[in-house]
Amino acid sequence: MFDQGIEGAGLFMIAFGDIVPYFSVYTATLFAFAIIFILLAAFSIPEKQIDIIFGGDAYYAKEIKPEDLRFQRFMALACGAATLGAVVTGDIFNFTLFAAMIGITNIGIVASSRNRHVLNAAYQYGIVAMIASVPLFGGAAMILATTGTLSIWTLAGIGAAPLLAKILLVLGVMGEGMAPFYIGKAEITRAQGAPFILMVHVSSLLLFLRVVEIILVI
């Protein structure tokens, strides 16, 4: 496994039959980034947004209710935990489960917003995430049907995974991570509570970087 070019040096692995969570230089780097942002979400004080009236000096600060703050922090930490699982798991099915959890928690991070434009964008992203679960799990099912295993460790380097299954995995991650859709609908980034909102971006980026590694390895 660690002889694959993208991985770098092997650092650590835990064998549970076919399921082998592993730390290479690549996955350990992703893991470290996720840990950093989890700590930021756990201990940072969220920002207060300021609305400025165009053409004048009037402005007002948006206050976040304590219960909304607690919910956002919890969802950001849950998103971080799912991201940690996604970047180190050695099983494609577990990866799809963690990816789906990232999609759910990304929506949850902004669910407490009281801005109707943000909530409308989050609702639409939720539909995208639900639809994306079809190619995501479909890709994993296709790999299992054609190779008889979902272990990345077993599949590494043999080139047995169908190209269509790899494409479906990437499409599923694009929907669950939601990163490509930011360019078209930016309302979700207006939700209050940074750095919690940053976890949406970070989890999407790390999830996409991990799926790139998976499709290159298998």
Side-chain angles (χ1 to χ4, degrees), residues 48 54 73 84 90 103-104 145 151 162-163 177 190 193 202:
K48 292 184 178 180
F54 183 74
R73 192 185 299 273
L84 292 179
I104 293 170
S151 171
L163 177 60
R190 300 176 187 171
V202 172

Side-chain angles (χ1 to χ4, degrees), residues 102-160:
I102 288 173
I104 293 170
T105 52
N106 278 344
I107 299 300
I109 290 172
V110 297
S112 61
S113 174
R114 301 180 187 275
N115 184 313
R116 66 183 182 88
H117 299 292
V118 174
L119 292 177
N120 181 57
Y123 172 76
Q124 296 179 29
Y125 284 132
I127 294 176
V128 171
M130 286 189 293
I131 295 173
S133 64
V134 176
L136 183 67
F137 288 99
M142 187 176 296
I143 292 173
L144 179 61
T146 55
T147 66
T149 182
L150 288 169
S151 171
I152 300 173
W153 194 270
T154 303
L155 294 171
I158 64 176

